[in-house]
Amino acid sequence: MPYGITVRGVHTSFKDLRTLLAKATPLRSGDELAGVAAAGAEERVIAQMALAEVPLTAFLNEAVVPYESDEVTRLIFDSHDKEAFALVAGWCVGELRDWLLGDEATGERIAPLAAGLTPEMVAAVSKLMRVQDLVYVAQKISVVTRFRTTVGLPGRLSTRLQPNHPTDDPVGIAASMLDGLLLGSGDAVIGINPVSDSVSTVTTLLRLMEHVRLRYGIPMQSCVLAHVTTQMEAMRQGAPLDLLFQSIAGTEGANASFGVNLALLREAHALARELKRGGIGAETGGENVYYFETGQGSALSANAHHGVDQQTLEARAYAVARHFKPMLVNTVVGFIGPEYLYDGKQIVRAGLEDHFCGKLLGLPMGCDICYTNHAEADQDDMDVLLTLLAAAGVNYIMGVPGADDVMLNYQSTSFHDALYARRLLGLRPAPEFEEWMRSDGWQRLRRAGQPAVLLPSTVVV
């Protein structure tokens, strides 16, 4: 169905919703690479004006990726909550934007709307918003999840402690863990990206973190970011797995490039819940057991984008995440590279869009505020995004030693960056973790002072 608008006596038409969404997207290199971006600023503004007038019901009648051939599209349409949608059913995209920015749209009123919004609706409204709009609306919304800590409460900022090591050396990992824990990092998760995607490596690293947790009484959850099938086998062999990790994307084809589909994710979810390891709600096999990572450009890099702009596809990945009620969702915003987000300006905008869209869809959003070394970005850009996201109420950020990940070779945020954001805005860690930092367990860890004390006797150094 074509969508058009007349501006200064000139009528411009866009052939379908997919084209209109792409043309209305703020400039980014990935859309230019895909050949879907607006030809220039004038066409982009005209597309945004046209998009503002599109009824929200149009998104329920026209799929941007075919329903018949894509299971993510089927999930979006088949799980849509018509009752939750009733509040906004008569509105257009521009009216939804105006309402979200108004005083009537409190967090309590926005939250029930999540199930009635599709990712495409949310992506559309984000394209009409300035940076301050994305920050202002997102800070109204709190999405709280629980495992052994409670993440996402107002006035709190959590971190993922990321103690990666280029050879999976337990001593090096333990040193980073010790540094991070003593600086108040790790209350969202201690998550290790392993070099080796093997069951033995995953099990060793999980046992290392479990040893630390039990020895020092730390309210924390651990995760090893291997492929979901590797983690499933580790669980079957008795590994102490807390959170189950997987990268996901917004189309069936992109998820296939990650080696996953919805059925596999459901199987893994059920297996992790059966462990009942979470301290909060563990007796019922609490649902918040997934840790998902996403990023704009993943579908394009897999040649599975269907001509859809990368920001809309990122929002579609959140439909997959929402289906599993995850503990954490992390947009790794600048990690994929400058082919998709060219410079600091594009990274900042994308990070705020992702956070806004995820929260509006009811997800516990964190952000890896990061860039690769060949992007036109630097740590000043990351400071800007960090400050804006902290003001917007992001659930958690990364804690990487020195902000320099020596295994993945990219730049992120440090333990000290989290302390800056907390002190600047009066934010605190998760309540259970904050209480532990006043405990004897934290004092014993502080007095130990050497990473070797974190190693279980089963680890060969």
Side-chain angles (χ1 to χ4, degrees):
M1 172 183 172
Y3 297 85
I5 191 170
T6 300
V7 179
R8 296 194 302 271
V10 177
H11 186 77
T12 303
S13 181
F14 302 91
K15 66 178 183 179
D16 53 27
L17 195 54
R18 175 175 56 193
T19 301
L20 178 59
L21 286 166
K23 300 298 185 184
T25 305
L27 178 65
R28 60 210 58 199
S29 53
D31 291 338
E32 291 183 308
L33 181 63
V36 302
E42 183 175 354
E43 185 182 25
R44 184 172 301 109
V45 170
I46 291 171
Q48 289 169 343
M49 294 171 67
L51 182 60
E53 297 183 3
V54 173
L56 294 176
T57 52
F59 295 91
L60 302 177
N61 298 320
E62 183 177 346
V64 298
V65 179
Y67 180 94
E68 297 76 15
S69 59
D70 189 273
E71 67 174 1
V72 177
T73 300
R74 292 193 292 274
L75 176 66
I76 292 168
F77 277 78
D78 296 348
S79 62
H80 181 251
D81 188 329
K82 294 181 175 58
E83 184 175 342
F85 181 63
L87 172 67
V88 299
W91 294 356
C92 61
V93 176
E95 288 172 312
L96 176 59
R97 174 190 178 274
D98 292 345
W99 181 79
L100 289 169
L101 289 168
D103 292 338
E104 291 184 8
T106 62
E108 292 73 20
R109 294 198 68 190
I110 294 172
L113 184 59
L117 297 175
T118 69
E120 291 84 356
M121 294 176 193
V122 169
V125 76
S126 75
K127 297 175 194 297
L128 306 183
M129 290 188 157
R130 294 169 56 186
V131 161
Q132 65 176 255
D133 300 337
L134 297 169
V135 172
Y136 178 67
V137 174
Q139 62 82 33
K140 297 182 182 186
I141 307 167
S142 296
V143 182
V144 179
T145 54
R146 296 176 174 86
F147 199 84
R148 294 192 189 94
T149 61
T150 304
V151 176
L153 291 167
R156 306 278 177 169
L157 174 63
S158 296
T159 66
R160 169 191 161 189
L161 202 172
Q162 185 170 305
N164 295 342
H165 191 276
T167 63
D168 291 333
D169 177 28
V171 176
I173 289 170
S176 295
M177 287 175 58
L178 179 63
D179 190 18
L181 288 166
L182 293 180
L183 288 169
S185 189
D187 54 327
V189 65
I190 299 182
I192 304 171
N193 296 88
V195 177
S196 171
D197 191 74
S198 69
V199 173
S200 61
T201 295
V202 169
T203 301
T204 296
L205 296 179
L206 287 172
R207 286 177 176 164
L208 166 60
M209 290 184 282
E210 180 76 346
H211 172 77
V212 173
R213 180 180 77 84
L214 294 175
R215 180 168 182 175
Y216 295 98
I218 307 173
M220 56 170 262
Q221 37 277 346
S222 61
C223 183
V224 176
L225 284 69
H227 192 268
V228 66
T229 54
T230 307
Q231 296 168 81
M232 291 169 72
E233 185 56 34
M235 280 189 280
R236 294 187 183 106
Q237 295 184 20
L241 185 142
D242 288 341
L243 298 188
L244 186 64
F245 167 79
Q246 184 54 48
S247 294
I248 55 173
T251 68
E252 181 177 337
N255 283 322
S257 75
F258 291 140
V260 299
N261 54 38
L262 294 178
L264 179 61
L265 294 175
R266 290 188 187 104
E267 181 183 354
H269 185 241
L271 191 60
R273 289 189 67 193
E274 287 175 4
L275 298 181
K276 299 183 179 181
R277 285 182 51 81
I280 303 172
E283 66 282 355
T284 58
E287 289 185 308
N288 302 150
V289 296
Y290 253 124
Y291 172 26
F292 288 122
E293 286 194 343
T294 67
Q296 289 193 28
S298 59
L300 176 58
S301 66
N303 196 27
H305 60 97
H306 298 270
V308 181
D309 70 272
Q310 65 184 38
Q311 191 257 331
T312 298
L313 291 176
E314 172 73 3
R316 282 170 55 92
Y318 302 154
V320 177
R322 180 171 64 176
H323 181 67
F324 294 98
K325 298 180 175 61
M327 176 69 186
L328 307 168
V329 178
N330 177 33
T331 168
V332 192
V333 64
F335 183 74
I336 303 181
E339 300 84 358
Y340 308 98
L341 295 169
Y342 179 71
D343 56 16
K345 181 180 178 66
Q346 292 186 13
I347 292 171
V348 167
R349 171 81 197 190
L352 295 171
E353 288 170 347
D354 294 350
H355 178 249
F356 165 87
C357 289
K359 269 193 162 182
L360 200 52
L361 289 168
L363 286 176
M365 290 302 297
C367 183
D368 191 343
I369 301 163
C370 64
Y371 64 99
T372 56
N373 288 309
H374 61 308
E376 292 295 320
D378 58 27
Q379 213 65 38
D380 285 344
D381 298 309
M382 300 306 103
D383 285 350
V384 170
L385 181 54
L386 167 63
T387 305
L388 289 169
L389 282 170
V394 70
N395 279 26
Y396 68 101
I397 61 171
M398 302 299 110
V400 177
D404 182 9
D405 193 300
V406 295
M407 192 277 277
L408 293 173
N409 293 311
Y410 79 116
Q411 309 304 309
S412 185
T413 46
S414 70
F415 307 136
H416 295 86
D417 291 332
L419 292 178
Y420 148 76
R422 284 172 176 166
R423 290 171 178 172
L424 176 71
L425 298 174
L427 304 172
R428 295 148 61 194
E432 300 87 357
F433 197 86
E434 184 179 31
E435 183 65 26
W436 172 75
M437 291 177 68
R438 302 189 186 100
S439 73
D440 177 66
W442 190 87
Q443 292 294 340
R444 286 190 293 110
L445 182 64
R446 184 180 66 83
R447 289 193 296 268
Q450 296 295 325
V453 304
L454 303 187
L455 298 176
S457 58
T458 54
V459 171
V460 178
V461 179

